[in-house]
Structure formats: C-alpha cells, structure tokens
C-alpha cells in the first residue's frame, strides 16, 4: 500500500484506497449526475415529442429530427475525415530529419510538446470541425428534403430550357454541396500546411528548397481540388444568372438575365470554367513534376481572367453596347421577366379593363341611387375601429377580451341570404384576472367563452351607433347555430394551462355564483407520468409542476395555443398568413389559417420581401396580430394550404387547396399523410373560406408594376402605380377591405377583397382592384382591375379624404359632434365602382369624452363632385344622388343611428332645436371658462352645467315632437321611431 510523507522528523502517513462502499456511492452519484445532465439536455426534445404526439403529427417531428441527425452525422463525419486524413497524411509525409536551422530548432520544442498527445490533438481537431460542419449541415434539412422529393413544375426557363424544379429544388442543394466542399478543402489545406511546416515539410527561412517533394505533391492535390470546385462553381453560376437579383429600373429585386448577362457574363463564366479546369489539371500534374511553376502560372492566369473576362468585359459591354440603346437591348429580357413574374405570383390571369372613373353627365341619378344598393353591401362596421365597442358592450368580465382588430366573415340570415358579419371571440384576458397566483393563472382561468358577431352593414335600432349584434351575451346566444363556446385556443391565449385534473376551471361568474367546468377534450399532454412532469417543470421553469397537488389523474398541459403557433409547428415548411380568423363550423369554433408555399428559385421572376409587402395600417394598429413575419425574399408564392385549428381541443387539420402546386406536392412527398385532400373540406367549412389578405397584398404590390405587359411601356415606367397611404393613418399603406360587391362585368354581388392604387407620386386614382374572395364561387381568385385614364384627375383616397376634411359644413358638424372633448375616428374608406364612376363611403365614429366606446354617428359619401355627410348611409346616398335634400349641418345631424337602415329624422328646419343646441354649446363654453378662471368656483360651473342640461332637454323634446309628426324616417330604417328617438335622447345626454 503506498505511503506519503515520512521526513526524518515526522511520521509516515499511509494513504489507502477508498472502501468499496465509498467507491460504489461515488460511482452512483456520478451516474446520477450524468443522467441528470442528459435529462436537462434532452428534456426539450422529450416534451416536443410528447406535444407532436398529442396533436397526431409525430411524423413531422420524427422526419425533421432524423433528417437533421442524418445530415449532422454524414457531413460532420465527412468533414472530420477530410481534415483528419489530411493531417494524418501530412504527418506521415514528414521528412525523416529536419534541417539544422534556427527556424527548425525553434519548432523542436513544439514538436516535442505535442508528441505525447498527437492522437488526442488529432481527435480533438477532427471532432470540433465535425461538430461545426454537422451543425451547419443539419440546418439544411429543408434544402435536402426539397431536393430528394422534388417534383417537376413542367415549366421551363427561357434561357437554358430547364424545368423550374432545377432552380427551385436542385440548384440550392448543389450550391450547399459546393460550399461544403470549399470549406472542407480550405480547412484541410490549412491543417496540412501547418503540419508540414511544423515537421519541416515546408520552410520559410531555412536555406535550400522551401518544400519537400511530398509536401509539394500533397498541397498541390488539395489546391487542385479547390480549383476544380471553382470550375464547378463557374459552371453553376451560369444557371445562377437566371435567378440572380440585380438593380434595374429603380428596383433592387429584378431577377433574371439581362443583355449584359446573356452576352457577357454567360460566355465569361463558360470561359472561366474551361480555364479553371485546365488549371486544376496543372495542379494535379505536380504529383509527377514536383514543381509548382506551371500551376502557379495557370492560377495567376485564372485570377487575371476572372478580373478581365468576368469583370472588365461585362462593364465594357454595359457601357458601350447597352447604355446607348438600353431599351432596345433589354426589351426581350424585360418581356421574359414580366411573363415569369406574373406567372410566379399568380397574377397572369388578371383581367384589366379601362374604366372612365366619372359617370356620364346625363346619367339617371335615380337609377344610380337604385344601383348603389344593388352593387354593394357597404360595410359600415369597421373591424379595425369597433373592437373597443365590442369590449365595452360584450366583454362582460375583465378576464375576457377581444382582439384589437376583429374579423370579417359571412353568415346566413334567417331567410338564407349571406350577411357580411364582423366577428370576434371572447378570449381569455390574463391581465384581467382579479388575483394573480399560480393556481389562478394556470388552473382556474384557462379559457375564453363564446363568439360575438354583428351585422357589418347596419347598426342597432335600440342604441344609436352601436353594433347590431346577431350573437351576444354570456353565454352567447343569437342567430349563430349552436356550438361549443369554450375557447381554449386563440390569438390572445399565449400562456400554458393545466386542465382536466382535480382543480376546477372557471367558465364565468354571475349573481348566482361561479359556473365551473372540467376540461373534457383530448388535447394537451397528460401529466400522469412523474418524468413527464419533471420535463415540463424544467421546460417551463416552474418546479411546482413537479410536486403540486393541483395536478392529478386526468391533468393535461395545454401550450402552443395560438393558431399561428400550432400550424407553424405541424407544418414548418409553410409560411403562415398573419390573420387567422374564427368561424362557427359544425358545432365548433374553428380558427381558419391560410398558409403558403414559397420559393426564391423561380427563374426570371422578380423577388419581393414578404414582411414589407404585407405591412399596412391595419397591422400597425394591431400589435397582437403579426403579418407574414418572415423577412425572407421570395419570387413564387401560392396559397396552397387551408388549415383549421379547433378552438376547444386545438386539433390542427391541413387541407390541400392548390392541387397543382409542385412545391406542395414536394412537401407532401416529404411528409406523407399530413395534408388532407381538398375533397375532405366540408361544405359548412367551405362557406367560410376566403381569399387571404397577405397574398393579395403581395399581388397588389407586384401589380403596381407588372400590370403592364408591354416591355417598352414597362421600361419607360410611365404606368407605374403605388399602394396609397391610409388617408386617416399617414405613413402606412391602406389595407385591402373585404366587401360584398359586384364589378361592372358581374351580374350579382360577390364577396371580394378590394384595394385602390394611385399613379406613382400622385394622389389621383390609378386603378381599382378586386379579387373574388368567395371560396364557393366559380371565379374564386380571379383578379379584376379597373384601369383609369392616366390623363384624368379622378380623386384617390387621399384627395377624397381631403375633400371631406375641407368641407365647411362637414367641419361645422364635426365640431358640434366633438363637444365635450369627444373624439372623432374615421372608419374604412370603401370604394365601389358605380355607373362609370366611383362611390366612396366612409363611416365616422364618435368616442365620448372619457370613454373608449366608438359609436357610428355619421356617414360620409362622395360620388363625382357631390359629397354628403348624413346620419345614415341611406340618407347620404339619397343626398349625393339628388333624391333628398341634405340635412342642416347646424343641427349636428346627430339624431341618426348611422346604420344603413337605422336613420332618424333630421332636425333640419326646426328653429327650436337649432336655438337649443346653440344654447347648449354656449353653456358648455361657459362651464369650461368658469373652471379656467377659478377651479374651485363650483357654483358657476354648476349653473353652466344646468343650463347645458336644460338646453339639451329642450332640443331632445323638440326633436321628439318633430319625429312624431313626421312618422317614419325617409329611408324606412326604423319600425318604432319613438323608441329610437328616446334612445337618441339618452345618448345625447351621455355625450354631453
């Protein structure tokens, strides 16, 4: 047994081995520590697997995981072998004796220091480079799956006549292999050179030859491989010209060959390929010649050729051949770009028609008034404005809430007609939970409750300017078919919940107490297994999940609860639309999510950045909704998949929508069984599918330039349009609007998505664009463009809004509406082609002082040179088409409901009302003045307030008498005028 110490003056200390029990304990602790580390490292993978299994998309997880693992090990091993073999070979080819020089003597100590650890150093280097290469390769799993599963497009590029599949699926993989080859060669070359230098194969300052024959041959082969790869790169660059972006005509996204590419770069790449191939042969020849003279000369010629042929020559062609006659030279290539771009973005079938934009002077105004009702169901309820109204009137409990932007859909009326509807779900609002603790946040308050919907074209007959709800209250009831109202998955539901266990959940509370519920769905991951609980405790950094008594038999954890998150997770190869919308389908609330397949490898098609083209004022207003978030550039897009997410059990279903899309077919081969056929879509679901906004935004951005099919006109840029700014939200693009309407070539109204475009740099209207958004329509997806004459000054959105704002009578009415520090908010400015002209309609909302309750008060209508500002749409249309006299603006025109069929009798001509409102305005000003002079003078303020109340009472009574005499209003919108007027009186006092 060994001993230590033991000097002449001290005792010897015997050191023994630890006992068997101690060794066993230490080994056990070590094993447990390793297992704990592995558990921490792989807990995330385990929970991911459990989640994918719970949504029945485990094949997506396994396919993705095994693809990444396969790429990691294959390319990591290849990189390790390439570098390791070259290090070993360089060491094997070292000279037996190093030269006796100061340089070599200084290297001796390094050689001696490394000698005992050579194997370990070699292993460490190869492992590190292998891990880095493997990690980089694993990120290419999409590229690999597209290449190995790619299907042909049966479309061919006009230059090389290759199927688009080569550019979209094959070329990206070949480029990855090429970049991997370059990396492996460069790392091997550097490693081999260092080893040769360390062991004397290469010398820098020593006398005699600078390299041994063995080192020369070894490094020459590596350089030959590098130059060979460069030759391959030159050859692939030829095809890369078809998908290369360049600056042309003020666009940095122009894609495809131009004249200089076809006549200079293309032959230059071919010549450089030949030169590189010859140069590679010269490097390989050094295995026999043992000299670098010819390879170095060849390499120098290749570099010089790259500068002269690949750089200087194209510049000369561009300068002296193209620029003097650019239009003629570029015309054939512009034509190819136009055709490819229109086809890649699905705008090649657009129907462009000339449209005057101004009605004939002799047009029958009465007929135009009748046509206005038949042409469009004008939606006055703006989903971007009325969310606070839904919140105030239908939130019911603080722990519920609506998204800040509601959605537009269609539902059947009791008589079977389609009704444009604004809908929102009463989702869980975590910030409104009365008392925050772990049980409340994750066990008790777990879900929202019910949908709320209102007619889009009318307002309430009982509450002036409020939405006309067809589904309301808690529990929700109304015209929608019976459905499961609990909302466990939604746009606002971002935190995890644990349901189904011993802890009861809260549906809602009332005077009778709390209504509780226990989740009965099969969604989420079961927490019965202690290892599963430990994994989730680690994943969510919440140790209570491991030991809490609130978790028991039947407990499930719900997470990834927004529709966008769920669809992205089960289909990571799709690009998701920014606006998921709810629909009541077959007794359940289902979120409908549009998804796209994209590529940036469509030859000649110009690229666009999704995040930029899908941004507008609607997205800017709604911080909760994200646009297509990816900032990647694409040049091909299809709405190939419609997805649904069940709001109760979170079930995700993917439906094939574009049955001809080759990109979708490729991904279906990679992930078989994940996408259901289009025929599986039920008729009840089909009623609610629509053309997606984000796709239309991308298409309208491309249409600003690519509505032109003539290359000469495209080159001149004389017909370029732009997406106008939102007239009520400067600096952001106007969003497209869903609207039931008919274009001039249509016989009946169709649910459409519409937008306006203006000439670049001007505010007059350039075009009106509408796409058939009804999924049940035979013309679904057809884009119709009404092109206005470029030499006319038909007003665009900005000019129409300016005309509204500059009208003295409108301004006077707005000032009266804003009494008491109320705020005016403009709704969506809708545009409808009518009788050769354009009808503009804009609802105007009033927010009462100190409230967040926007109510529809007035409607702005413009047609030609006529403008009306009335309390209802019907009245405004009558006025603008000369079928009725305008109301007196001094009355405030405040007595109407604002809806299409809910106008009240105006106060025009009633002197008592006019005088009473003037007195009210004066009293209000006196009250404010009293507070300014002396904030404590409550006597003067109270007297002014009493005068204000008296004046408003007089006005209300006078209006009531006028209403009783007149009977029903001119537009016939109310059945009980007296009841509506009483509501007006009450609302008038609230406004005051």
């Amino acid at each position: 047994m060994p001993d230590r110490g033991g000097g002449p003056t001290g005792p010897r200390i015997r050191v023994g081995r630890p006992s068997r029990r101690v060794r066993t304990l230490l080994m056990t602790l070590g094993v447990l520590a390793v297992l704990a580390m592995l558990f921490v490292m792989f807990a995330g993978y385990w929970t991911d697997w459990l989640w994918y299994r719970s949504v029945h998309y485990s094949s997506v997880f396994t396919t993705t995981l095994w693809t990444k693992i396969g790429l990691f090990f294959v390319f990591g091993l290849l990189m390790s072998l390439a570098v390791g073999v070259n290090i070993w070979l360089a060491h094997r080819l070292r000279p037996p004796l190093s030269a006796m020089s100061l340089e070599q003597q200084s290297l001796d100590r390094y050689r001696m220091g490394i000698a005992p650890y050579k194997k370990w150093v070699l292993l460490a280097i190869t492992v590190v480079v292998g891990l880095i290469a493997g990690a980089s390769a694993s990120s290419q799993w999409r590229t690999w799956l597209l290449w190995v599963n790619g299907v042909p497009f049966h479309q061919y590029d006009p230059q090389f006549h290759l199927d688009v599949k080569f550019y979209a699926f094959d070329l990206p993989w070949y480029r990855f292999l090429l970049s991997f080859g370059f990396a492996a060669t460069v790392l091997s070359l550097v490693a081999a050179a260092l080893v040769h230098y360390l062991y004397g194969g290469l010398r820098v300052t020593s006398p005699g030859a600078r390299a041994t024959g063995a080192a020369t041959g070894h490094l020459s082969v590596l350089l030959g491989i590098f130059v060979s790869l460069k030759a391959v790169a030159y050859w692939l660059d030829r095809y890369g010209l078809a998908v290369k972006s360049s600056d042309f005509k003020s666009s940095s996204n122009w894609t495809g060959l131009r004249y200089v590419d076809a006549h200079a770069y293309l032959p230059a790449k071919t010549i450089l390929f030949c030169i590189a191939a010859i140069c590679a042969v010269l490097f390989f020849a050094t295995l026999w010649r043992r000299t670098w003279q010819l390879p170095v000369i060849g390499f120098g010629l290749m570099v010089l050729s790259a500068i002269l042929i690949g750089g200087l020559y194209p510049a000369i062609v561009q300068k002296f051949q193209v620029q003097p006659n650019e239009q003629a030279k570029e015309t054939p290539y512009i034509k190819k770009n136009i055709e490819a771009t229109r086809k890649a973005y699905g705008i090649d079938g657009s129907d462009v028609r000339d449209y005057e934009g101004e009605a004939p002077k002799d047009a029958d105004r009465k007929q135009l008034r009748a046509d206005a009702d038949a042409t469009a169901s004008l939606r006055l309820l703006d989903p971007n404005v009325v969310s606070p109204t839904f919140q105030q009137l239908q939130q019911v409990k603080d722990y519920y809430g609506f998204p800040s932007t509601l959605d537009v859909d269609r539902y059947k009326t009791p008589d079977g007609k389609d009704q444009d509807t604004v809908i929102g779900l009463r989702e869980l609002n975590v910030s409104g939970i009365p008392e925050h603790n772990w049980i409340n946040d994750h066990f008790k308050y777990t879900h929202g409750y019910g949908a709320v919907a209102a007619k889009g074209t009318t307002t309430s007959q009982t509450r002036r300017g409020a939405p006309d709800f067809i589904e309301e209250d808690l529990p929700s009831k109304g015209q929608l078919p019976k459905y499961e109202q609990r909302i466990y998955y939604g746009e606002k539901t971002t935190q995890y919940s644990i349901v189904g266990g011993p802890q009861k959940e809260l549906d809602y509370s009332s005077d009778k107490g709390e209504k509780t519920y226990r989740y009965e769905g099969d969604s989420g991951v079961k927490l019965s297994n202690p290892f599963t609980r430990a994994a989730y405790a680690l994943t969510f950094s919440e140790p209570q999940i491991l030991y809490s008594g609130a978790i028991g038999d039947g407990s499930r954890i719900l997470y990834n609860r927004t529709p966008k998150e769920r669809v992205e997770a089960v289909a990571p190869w799709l690009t998701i639309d920014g606006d998921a919308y709810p629909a009541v389908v077959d007794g359940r609330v289902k979120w409908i999510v549009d998804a796209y397949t994209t590529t940036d490898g469509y030859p000649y098609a110009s690229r666009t950045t999704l995040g930029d083209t899908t941004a507008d004022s609607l997205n800017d207003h709604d911080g909760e909704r994200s646009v297509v978030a990816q900032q990647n550039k694409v040049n091909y897009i299809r709405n190939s998949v419609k997805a649904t997410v069940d709001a109760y059990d979170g079930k995700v279903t993917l439906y094939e929508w574009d049955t001809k899309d080759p990109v979708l077919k490729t991904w279906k081969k990679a992930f078989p069984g994940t996408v259901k056929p289009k025929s599986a879509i039920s008729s009840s679901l089909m009623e609610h599918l629509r053309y997606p906004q984000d796709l239309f935004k991308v298409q309208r951005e491309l249409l600003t330039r690519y509505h032109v099919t003539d290359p000469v006109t495209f080159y001149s840029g004389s017909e370029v349009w732009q997406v106008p700014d939102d007239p009520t939200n400067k600096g952001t693009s106007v969003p497209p609007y869903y609207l039931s309407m008919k274009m001039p070539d249509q016989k009946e109204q169709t649910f459409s998505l519409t937008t306006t475009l203006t000439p670049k740099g001007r505010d007059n209207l350039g075009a009106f664009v509408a796409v058939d958004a009804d999924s049940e329509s035979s013309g679904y997806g057809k884009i119709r463009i009404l092109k206005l004459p470029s030499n006319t000054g038909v007003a665009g959105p900005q000019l129409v809004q300016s005309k509204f704002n500059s009208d003295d009578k409108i301004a006077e009415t707005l000032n009266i509406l804003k009494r008491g520090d109320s705020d005016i908010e403009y709704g969506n400015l809708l545009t409808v082609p009518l009788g050769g002209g354009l009808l503009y309609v804009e609802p105007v909302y009033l927010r009462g002082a100190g409230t967040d309750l926007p109510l529809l008060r007035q409607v702005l209508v413009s047609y030609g040179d006529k403008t009306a500002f009335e309390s209802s749409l019907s009245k405004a249309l009558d006025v603008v088409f000369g079928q009725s006299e305008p109301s007196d603006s001094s009355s405030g025109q405040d007595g109407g409901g604002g809806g299409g069929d809910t106008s009240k009798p105006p106060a025009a001509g009633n002197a008592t009302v006019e005088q009473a409102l003037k007195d009210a305005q004066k009293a209000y000003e006196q009250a404010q003045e009293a507070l300014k002079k002396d904030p404590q003078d409550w006597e003067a303020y109270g007297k002014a307030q009493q005068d204000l109340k008296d004046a408003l009472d007089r006005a209300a009574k006078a209006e009531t008498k006028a209403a009783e005499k007149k009977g029903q209003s001119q537009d016939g919108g109310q059945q009980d005028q007296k009841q509506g007027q009483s509501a007006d009186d009450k609302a008038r006092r609230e406004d005051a």
Side-chain angles (χ1 to χ4, degrees):
M1 187 173 290
D3 54 57
R4 289 185 183 175
T9 59
R12 299 177 64 87
I13 302 175
R14 300 178 64 84
V15 180
R17 295 177 60 190
S19 66
R20 180 177 296 178
R21 179 178 297 178
V22 174
R23 293 200 304 272
T24 303
L25 179 60
L26 291 175
M27 290 180 61
T28 303
L29 291 175
V31 170
L32 291 175
V34 171
L35 291 176
M37 291 177 61
L38 291 175
F39 185 78
V40 171
M41 292 173 60
F42 293 101
Y45 289 100
W46 174 243
T47 55
D48 285 347
W49 158 252
L50 292 174
W51 185 86
Y52 275 96
R53 190 176 64 175
S54 73
V55 295
H56 309 294
Y57 282 90
S58 55
S59 62
V60 175
F61 178 81
T62 54
T63 299
T64 305
L65 179 63
W66 286 116
T67 302
K68 290 179 178 180
I69 291 174
L71 292 172
F72 178 87
F73 280 105
V74 169
F75 285 93
L77 184 61
L78 287 175
M79 182 65 78
S80 296
L81 286 175
V83 175
V85 166
N86 279 282
I87 291 176
W88 173 83
L89 187 59
H91 181 265
R92 185 72 179 270
L93 296 175
R94 68 189 184 281
L97 296 173
S98 58
M100 298 302 295
S101 65
L102 293 175
E103 180 185 16
Q104 292 302 313
Q105 289 176 12
S106 64
L107 292 173
D108 278 342
R109 63 175 180 269
Y110 295 107
R111 287 192 287 264
M112 294 175 63
I114 293 175
Y117 310 105
K118 285 189 292 188
K119 292 182 179 179
W120 292 107
V121 171
L122 176 61
L123 180 63
I125 293 174
T126 54
V127 167
V128 169
V129 297
L131 289 174
I132 295 174
S136 176
S138 66
S139 65
Q140 297 294 321
W141 64 272
R142 290 182 177 86
T143 308
W144 160 260
L145 288 175
L146 286 172
W147 178 69
V148 78
N149 296 289
V151 300
F153 280 65
H154 300 296
Q155 300 172 23
Y156 304 90
D157 81 280
Q159 182 66 41
F160 303 102
H161 308 292
L162 296 174
D163 193 287
V164 173
K165 169 183 177 291
F166 172 79
Y167 300 95
F169 305 147
D170 299 342
L171 189 57
W173 179 249
Y174 297 153
R175 281 176 164 167
F176 165 71
L177 292 179
L178 190 63
S179 63
F180 178 82
F182 274 122
T185 304
V186 170
L187 288 174
S188 298
L189 185 62
V190 172
L194 289 174
V195 173
H196 280 301
Y197 176 70
L198 183 63
Y199 286 95
L202 290 178
R203 307 181 188 94
V204 177
T205 60
S206 300
R210 298 298 184 190
T212 63
T216 299
H218 184 196
L219 297 179
S220 295
V221 169
L222 290 175
L223 288 170
I225 295 173
F226 179 86
V227 177
S228 298
L229 292 172
K230 188 61 180 174
V232 175
Y234 282 133
W235 188 257
L236 290 180
D237 285 347
R238 298 169 69 255
Y239 303 110
L241 293 172
V243 291
K244 182 195 72 171
S245 290
S246 59
D247 295 333
F248 181 62
K249 299 305 297 174
S250 302
S251 172
S252 60
N253 297 322
W254 173 276
T255 303
L257 283 82
R258 291 159 50 196
Y259 182 89
V260 69
D261 298 311
H263 294 83
Y265 281 110
L266 187 57
K269 297 294 183 182
T270 305
I271 295 171
L272 289 172
F273 163 76
C274 296
I275 294 174
I278 295 172
C279 186
V281 172
L282 293 177
F283 273 108
F284 290 132
T286 56
L287 286 172
W288 296 275
R289 293 178 55 91
R290 302 292 182 179
T291 176
W292 280 349
Q293 185 176 3
L294 286 179
V296 169
I297 293 174
F299 187 78
L301 289 175
M302 186 181 75
V303 173
L304 183 61
S305 300
I307 295 173
L308 296 178
I309 302 175
L312 185 60
Y313 174 62
I316 293 174
V317 171
Q318 178 68 25
K319 180 69 175 178
F320 296 102
Q321 289 190 30
V322 177
Q323 288 186 4
N325 192 17
E326 187 175 50
Q327 177 179 306
K329 296 290 186 182
E330 300 290 9
T331 293
Y333 304 97
I334 294 174
K335 183 178 181 180
K336 295 175 183 178
N337 175 267
I338 292 174
E339 292 175 353
T341 302
R342 288 171 61 87
K343 186 176 294 185
Y345 290 95
I347 58 177
D348 51 328
S350 301
D351 181 14
V352 182
R353 300 190 178 195
D354 291 332
Y355 192 73
E356 289 300 320
E358 294 180 351
K361 294 183 179 179
D362 58 349
D364 186 343
R365 310 294 286 187
K366 186 175 182 180
Q367 183 62 45
L368 286 174
R369 174 64 185 89
D371 291 343
D373 289 333
T375 298
S377 298
L378 292 162
R379 179 174 44 76
L380 300 180
L381 211 62
D382 186 348
N384 202 33
V385 174
V386 298
S387 178
T389 306
F390 273 52
Q391 192 84 0
Q392 293 287 334
L393 301 181
Q394 293 295 325
Q395 178 188 16
V396 183
K397 302 296 180 183
D398 288 341
Y399 45 83
Y400 293 134
F402 294 94
S404 56
T405 295
L406 304 176
D407 291 289
V408 178
D409 201 352
R410 296 147 294 154
Y411 286 90
K412 298 291 186 183
T413 61
D415 58 359
K417 296 181 180 179
D418 283 336
Q419 166 71 53
D420 285 3
T421 305
V422 176
I423 186 170
L425 298 187
R426 193 184 286 110
E427 295 187 44
L428 179 67
N429 176 27
V430 177
S431 61
I433 295 176
E435 182 178 347
H436 287 281
N437 55 59
W438 191 61
I439 294 296
N440 277 353
D441 291 351
H442 300 287
F443 289 83
K444 185 174 182 179
Y445 296 92
T446 59
H447 58 276
Y449 207 96
V452 176
K455 296 178 181 179
T457 54
T458 63
T459 56
S460 172
Q461 295 185 5
T462 58
R463 179 158 189 168
R464 183 174 48 118
D468 187 4
F469 292 110
I470 62 171
E471 186 80 7
E472 58 184 330
D473 297 335
L474 181 69
S476 295
K477 57 183 182 291
Q479 298 179 15
L480 299 186
K482 187 177 180 181
Y483 62 98
E484 170 57 63
Q485 297 197 15
R486 296 173 181 88
I487 310 299
Y488 282 88
Y489 295 88
E491 291 179 303
K492 295 170 67 70
T493 313
T494 56
Q495 68 174 18
Y496 74 88
S497 290
I498 299 176
V499 299
Q503 178 67 46
K504 290 289 189 70
E505 307 164 47
L506 176 67
D507 267 351
Y508 54 86
S509 58
S510 65
D511 296 338
K512 298 179 181 179
E514 293 184 345
K515 176 177 170 51
T516 59
Y517 178 73
R518 179 178 283 110
Y519 185 68
E520 298 175 354
D522 61 355
S523 182
V525 178
K526 293 181 179 179
L527 295 177
S528 55
N529 188 316
F531 288 102
T532 301
R533 293 174 65 170
Y536 278 104
L538 187 64
T539 300
F540 290 108
S541 302
E542 183 50 70
Q544 292 188 77
I545 295 177
L546 183 59
Y547 56 78
S548 174
I551 301 175
D553 291 339
S555 291
R556 296 169 175 269
I557 185 167
L558 312 181
Y559 60 106
N560 287 348
R561 299 172 68 183
T562 68
K564 187 172 185 292
E565 282 179 322
R566 296 181 79 77
V567 177
E568 280 179 335
V570 303
W573 37 275
L574 290 173
T575 299
I576 310 302
D577 190 273
D579 182 23
Y581 60 98
V584 177
V585 178
D586 299 327
R588 303 296 278 266
V589 175
K590 293 185 182 292
W591 290 98
I592 299 175
V593 183
D594 287 287
Y596 311 105
T597 47
T598 63
T599 180
D600 66 345
Y602 198 99
Y604 275 96
S606 291
R607 291 182 171 87
T608 187
T609 304
L610 292 181
D612 295 339
T613 54
T614 57
D616 56 33
S617 63
L618 185 140
N619 303 117
D620 181 66
H621 179 276
D622 188 357
E624 297 164 357
R625 176 196 296 178
S626 61
V627 299
V628 176
Q630 289 84 348
Q631 289 294 328
N632 57 307
K633 289 187 175 182
V634 303
N635 65 356
Y636 172 94
I637 185 170
R638 290 290 184 272
N639 177 211
S640 53
V641 171
K642 300 282 189 180
T644 62
V645 177
D646 194 297
Y648 180 75
D649 62 18
K651 181 181 179 182
V652 182
T653 308
L654 306 177
Y655 296 101
E656 181 183 25
W657 186 249
D658 190 333
T659 58
K660 298 179 180 179
D661 178 29
V663 182
L664 177 60
K665 292 178 180 178
T666 297
W667 284 120
K668 286 176 64 179
K669 283 181 63 179
F671 297 96
T674 56
V675 181
K676 291 186 176 183
K678 188 175 184 178
S679 58
I681 301 176
S682 66
S683 58
S684 55
L685 174 60
M686 186 69 76
E687 293 177 359
H688 297 279
L689 301 182
R690 68 190 191 189
Y691 201 81
Q693 288 189 41
D694 282 344
L695 176 60
F696 188 58
K697 292 173 189 176
V698 172
Q699 290 175 325
R700 74 171 179 179
E701 178 65 31
L702 270 297
L703 282 170
T704 59
R705 289 167 290 142
Y706 287 94
H707 67 281
V708 175
T709 56
D710 176 50
V712 175
T713 306
F714 186 95
Y715 177 85
S716 69
S718 59
E719 293 296 319
V720 175
W721 296 332
Q722 66 185 12
V723 179
D725 283 348
D726 191 326
T728 60
N729 194 349
K730 300 293 184 181
T732 54
S733 300
V734 63
Y737 297 119
Y738 286 106
L739 188 66
S740 289
M741 56 160 289
K742 63 179 181 180
M743 294 287 275
D745 65 321
Q746 294 179 297
K747 295 182 179 180
E748 57 184 24
Q749 292 184 20
T750 303
F751 190 64
S752 305
L753 190 55
T754 66
T755 191
T756 52
L757 297 172
T758 59
K760 189 173 183 179
R762 291 186 289 165
D763 289 331
N764 56 296
L765 198 64
F768 176 80
V769 185
V771 62
D772 190 336
D774 186 352
S775 60
E776 296 182 297
S777 169
S778 59
Y780 173 85
K782 182 177 180 60
I783 299 175
R784 294 176 171 85
I785 303 174
L786 300 181
K787 182 182 177 182
L788 279 75
S790 57
N791 57 350
T792 61
V794 178
Q798 293 283 359
L799 295 178
V800 171
Q801 189 67 49
S802 296
K803 182 166 67 173
F804 288 156
N805 295 340
S806 60
D807 188 289
D808 292 338
K809 291 185 177 180
I810 293 176
E812 181 182 354
T813 304
L814 291 176
N815 287 332
I816 295 175
L817 285 174
K818 289 191 292 186
R819 65 182 181 271
D821 293 332
S822 297
D823 290 327
I824 292 294
E825 186 166 355
Y826 294 100
N828 37 221
L829 179 59
L830 303 177
T831 309
V832 176
L834 177 67
L838 289 160
L839 177 68
Y840 285 95
V841 176
E842 184 176 46
V844 178
Y845 295 84
L846 179 68
R847 291 178 185 263
T851 69
D852 190 17
L853 185 67
L855 297 174
L856 187 62
R857 280 294 183 263
Q858 302 288 121
V859 181
L860 284 161
V861 174
S862 175
Y863 187 81
D865 58 351
K866 300 292 185 181
T867 301
F869 187 49
E870 299 294 332
S871 58
S872 73
L873 174 61
S874 180
K875 173 64 176 176
L877 291 173
D878 286 343
V879 171
V880 87
F881 290 113
Q883 306 305 302
S884 175
E885 291 298 319
S887 301
D888 187 353
S889 64
S890 64
S891 71
Q893 302 183 350
D894 196 23
D901 299 316
T902 59
S903 65
K904 314 286 195 296
N910 191 324
T912 304
V913 172
E914 294 176 13
Q915 184 59 46
L917 289 177
K918 289 179 180 179
D919 292 343
Q921 182 68 21
K922 182 179 179 181
Y924 172 76
E925 293 173 354
Q926 289 174 347
Q928 298 302 311
E929 187 66 26
L931 288 179
K932 287 181 181 179
K933 290 182 177 179
D934 184 0
Q936 302 300 322
D937 189 0
W938 296 110
E939 182 178 351
Y941 179 78
K943 182 179 182 304
Q945 288 293 307
Q946 184 61 44
D947 292 342
L948 174 62
K949 180 179 181 303
D950 293 341
L952 291 176
D953 286 342
R954 281 189 282 117
K957 290 178 181 178
E959 284 185 337
T960 302
K961 290 180 180 179
E964 290 173 349
K965 291 180 181 180
K966 190 169 184 179
Q968 293 185 340
S969 62
Q970 293 180 359
D971 59 50
Q974 293 183 350
Q975 298 299 321
D976 190 347
Q977 183 62 44
K978 193 170 183 179
Q979 178 184 359
Q981 191 60 49
S982 297
D984 286 350
D985 299 341
K986 180 180 178 181
R988 186 178 304 282
R989 294 187 181 94
E990 292 174 354
D991 289 344

